[in-house]
Amino acid sequence: MTHPEPGQDPAGHPIPLAGLSHQPTPPTTVDFWFDPTCPWTFLTSRWLQEVRRHRPLTITWHVMSLAVLNERRLDELAPHIRELMGQAWAPVRVLIAAEKRYGQPVLEPLYEALGTRYHLQQQPKNRATIEAALRDAGLPANLADAGDTDVDDQALRSSHAAGIALVGSETGSPIIAVPGPDATGKIAFFGPVVTPAPKGEDAVRLWDGTLAVASTPGFYEIKRGRSVGPIFD
C-alpha cells in the first residue's frame, strides 16, 4: 500500500490549503463626477470604461455642474465660456431628472449618449440634441422638459457639492474618488486630464498609477500645462 504525498488526499489529488482558495478579485470601486459639456471629462470617462474592460472595476456615476461651479464668477469668464455655462444647465438638469425617475444606473448610458453627440459628433448643445440622446439611452424624449426648469436644482446642487467637498472648489470636471491608504476611506482628485484616452495596457498603467498616488499619504497634485486640445479617436 502506498501512502499519499504530503498535501495530497488518498487518491493523490491536491488538497486545497486553507485561506488559499482562488476567489475572484473583488472589484475596485471608483466614484466619477462629470459635467457632460466638458470634452476633457468625456475623455476621462472613456479611459475609465477602458480600464473596466481589463480590471474588475465598479464605476458609480455622479452629476456635477460647471454652471453651478462658475455661477458666481461669470464676469471673470471669457464670453464664449459664459455662453457655454448658459448651455450647460439643461443637460445636467435632465440627467438629474432621469436619475430621480429611473435610478442611478441610467446615468452612464445617458451620459454616453450626450457625450457622443456633443464631443464626437459636434452636435449643438440644445434641446434637439438632448432629446436625441434620451432616445439613444432608451429614455422618453419628454425628459428634456426638465432642462427648462429648476425644480430639481436642489438635487443637482447636492450631487455637485458631494464631489466638490472631496477636492475643493478650485477644481473642475471630472472628479474621481478611489480607495485611499485607509481601506475605509477614499481619496478624490480632479482629473486625470488626458488626451487621447489611453487604451489597453496604457489605460491600465494610468489606473495603477492613480491608485498608487491615492495610496500615498499627503499626496495632493501633479500638473503641467496643456499644449493640445481634446483628441477623440
Side-chain angles (χ1 to χ4, degrees), residues 35-91:
D35 183 304
T37 63
C38 176
W40 297 100
T41 299
F42 194 55
L43 283 164
T44 306
S45 74
R46 289 162 72 85
W47 161 67
L48 275 179
Q49 290 169 326
E50 176 71 8
V51 173
R52 190 172 59 187
R53 296 185 183 98
H54 302 279
R55 291 285 179 84
L57 190 69
T58 298
I59 307 170
T60 301
W61 304 81
H62 307 273
V63 181
M64 68 177 296
S65 170
L66 293 176
V68 171
L69 184 68
N70 290 294
E71 63 183 342
R72 296 184 179 178
R73 50 190 176 195
L74 290 176
D75 291 344
E76 304 171 13
L77 304 178
H80 71 285
I81 300 297
R82 287 201 299 271
E83 180 181 6
L84 177 61
M85 292 304 96
Q87 298 169 341
W89 282 102

Side-chain angles (χ1 to χ4, degrees), residues 4 6 23 33 59 66 71 78 81 87 100 106 112 126 137 148 154 171 181 203 208-209 216:
Q23 297 296 327
W33 278 264
I59 307 170
L66 293 176
E71 63 183 342
I81 300 297
Q87 298 169 341
K100 288 182 68 175
V106 305
E112 181 76 17
N126 58 21
D148 300 323
Q154 181 176 351
T171 57
D208 289 342
T216 304

Side-chain angles (χ1 to χ4, degrees), residues 49-178:
Q49 290 169 326
E50 176 71 8
V51 173
R52 190 172 59 187
R53 296 185 183 98
H54 302 279
R55 291 285 179 84
L57 190 69
T58 298
I59 307 170
T60 301
W61 304 81
H62 307 273
V63 181
M64 68 177 296
S65 170
L66 293 176
V68 171
L69 184 68
N70 290 294
E71 63 183 342
R72 296 184 179 178
R73 50 190 176 195
L74 290 176
D75 291 344
E76 304 171 13
L77 304 178
H80 71 285
I81 300 297
R82 287 201 299 271
E83 180 181 6
L84 177 61
M85 292 304 96
Q87 298 169 341
W89 282 102
V92 291
R93 284 168 167 166
V94 171
L95 281 156
I96 288 293
E99 181 183 21
K100 288 182 68 175
R101 185 180 299 185
Y102 297 105
Q104 193 274 337
V106 305
L107 289 180
E108 181 175 5
L110 181 53
Y111 174 42
E112 181 76 17
L114 286 166
T116 296
R117 289 182 175 274
Y118 287 158
H119 308 303
L120 302 187
Q121 301 173 7
Q122 293 294 300
Q123 294 186 8
K125 297 175 179 65
N126 58 21
R127 181 182 175 112
T129 301
I130 291 174
E131 289 180 347
L134 286 163
R135 288 191 290 268
D136 293 342
L139 297 169
N142 63 9
L143 267 175
D145 293 345
D148 300 323
T149 176
D150 62 1
V151 67
D152 290 322
D153 278 11
Q154 181 176 351
L156 169 62
R157 291 177 184 276
S158 294
S159 180
H160 173 86
I164 292 297
L166 298 174
V167 294
S169 60
E170 298 303 317
T171 57
S173 177
I175 295 169
I176 65 169
V178 299

